[in-house]
Amino acid sequence: MATIWLLGDPVAHSLSPLIQNTALESLGEPAVYLAARVTEEDFLQVVESLPKLGAIGANVTVPHKVLALQACSQLTDRAKVIGAVNTLIFRSETVLGDNTDGVGWWESLREAREAINFKRLLVLGAGGAARAVAYTALEHGISEVALLNRTVGRAQALAEDLWKQFPEARIDCRDLPDFSSLLEAGTLVVQTTSLGLHGDESPVKLPSMLPPNVFLSELIYGRETRLLREFRDLGGRCSDGLGMLVGQAVHALALWLGRRPGEIPAELMLQAACCRFNRA
Ligand code: ATR
């Protein structure tokens, strides 16, 4: 039986084994998805060993997504620009590194994108998740982006990398308190900071009224963040990060199995994830 691995530290609470094994079983694929806690010190050696043990691929999660670049003999363009790898595909002599976070996020917003013709993207944060999101939105034709980060220099570094790929893009780098003044009609807001993972803090203060046709994509899942709650209380439409988690999983599985993403049972995977949180 082929194996697929999740490599990270920690991995114990990850939903990926549940989601991926649900899909593998439903597809009748003779493969199993397993999670392994791997230290930074061991990471490269573990990746080198896995294909020899019959593994067909791996997901990489916190904190190894950047280190994983070094484990790859080939990288997709999007993994290069995003500067991080979440999917490794093992093929005979090669280790291909890809990043499916952005495409998974974009697809999770299909309904919102059909309902609202987004004119601009406003990203809170400038880490790995922000890179994936901004790259993907630009790739899909949203050419106006505001990057808001506590450390504005980090947002500027991200903008420089994005301009190499999208020289025509309008990218504005700002501090988080500028949020309200930048929130216009037709804005897709994406919350990628780690603030809200544990406590009840929000990276930004919302205006007293939201403009029309704005949407909040909160990447944190499994708990309602303060920002999500406040946005919803103001009547704003929003989603949490569960859709992105499933979306990136769908695309990774398609790559490992050599199938089209449309063949992967995304709905079933989402249902399995929602059940874990007792959500309908
Ligand atoms: P990831 O790869 O998941 O995006 P990361 O690279 O560690 O994670 O990035 C974390 C993001 O959360 C950064 O944008 C970080 O801001 P800085 O670049 O200024 O560090 C943001 N962040 C973390 N703690 C924060 C806080 N207390 N207030 C505001 N932003 C915070």
Side-chain angles (χ1 to χ4, degrees), residues 6-193:
L6 173 66
L7 310 175
D9 188 6
V11 291
H13 295 97
S14 170
L15 288 178
S16 292
L18 171 72
I19 294 172
Q20 295 287 12
N21 285 317
T22 299
L24 288 167
E25 198 175 317
S26 143
L27 291 166
E29 287 280 351
V32 63
Y33 185 101
L34 302 153
R37 184 170 157 238
V38 178
T39 64
E40 201 170 327
E41 206 174 41
D42 293 338
F43 181 79
L44 294 176
Q45 207 181 344
V46 167
V47 173
E48 205 183 317
S49 311
L50 285 179
K52 297 173 192 159
L53 300 173
I56 57 173
N59 269 144
V60 182
T61 188
V62 177
H64 304 317
K65 287 188 183 184
V66 176
L67 178 61
L69 292 166
Q70 292 176 39
C72 302
S73 52
Q74 283 175 25
L75 288 169
T76 60
D77 285 345
R78 60 189 182 192
K80 277 185 213 159
V81 179
I82 294 167
V85 161
N86 82 326
T87 303
L88 299 169
I89 302 117
F90 304 138
R91 287 184 188 141
S92 53
E93 293 301 299
T94 65
V95 176
L96 173 65
D98 197 0
N99 193 312
T100 64
D101 284 338
V103 64
W105 166 75
W106 185 254
E107 288 194 354
S108 75
L109 296 176
R110 185 178 299 135
E111 270 180 38
R113 287 188 284 106
E114 281 167 6
I116 305 173
N117 179 19
F118 294 117
K119 300 268 184 273
R120 58 207 302 263
L121 178 77
L122 196 159
V123 186
L124 306 178
R131 282 184 169 264
V133 157
Y135 173 85
T136 309
L138 285 164
E139 203 186 16
H140 285 90
I142 294 188
S143 58
E144 210 184 315
V145 176
L147 303 174
L148 280 69
N149 200 40
R150 178 179 60 177
T151 314
V152 180
R154 206 168 169 209
Q156 280 159 348
L158 170 53
E160 297 293 337
D161 284 347
L162 292 169
W163 273 317
K164 285 179 202 153
Q165 200 80 6
F166 307 99
E168 309 291 315
R170 285 175 57 190
I171 308 175
D172 199 7
C173 300
R174 301 288 195 95
D175 204 349
L176 292 166
D178 289 342
F179 177 76
S180 285
S181 65
L182 294 167
L183 188 64
E184 293 169 13
T187 301
L188 171 58
V189 180
V190 195
Q191 197 307 104
T192 76
T193 79

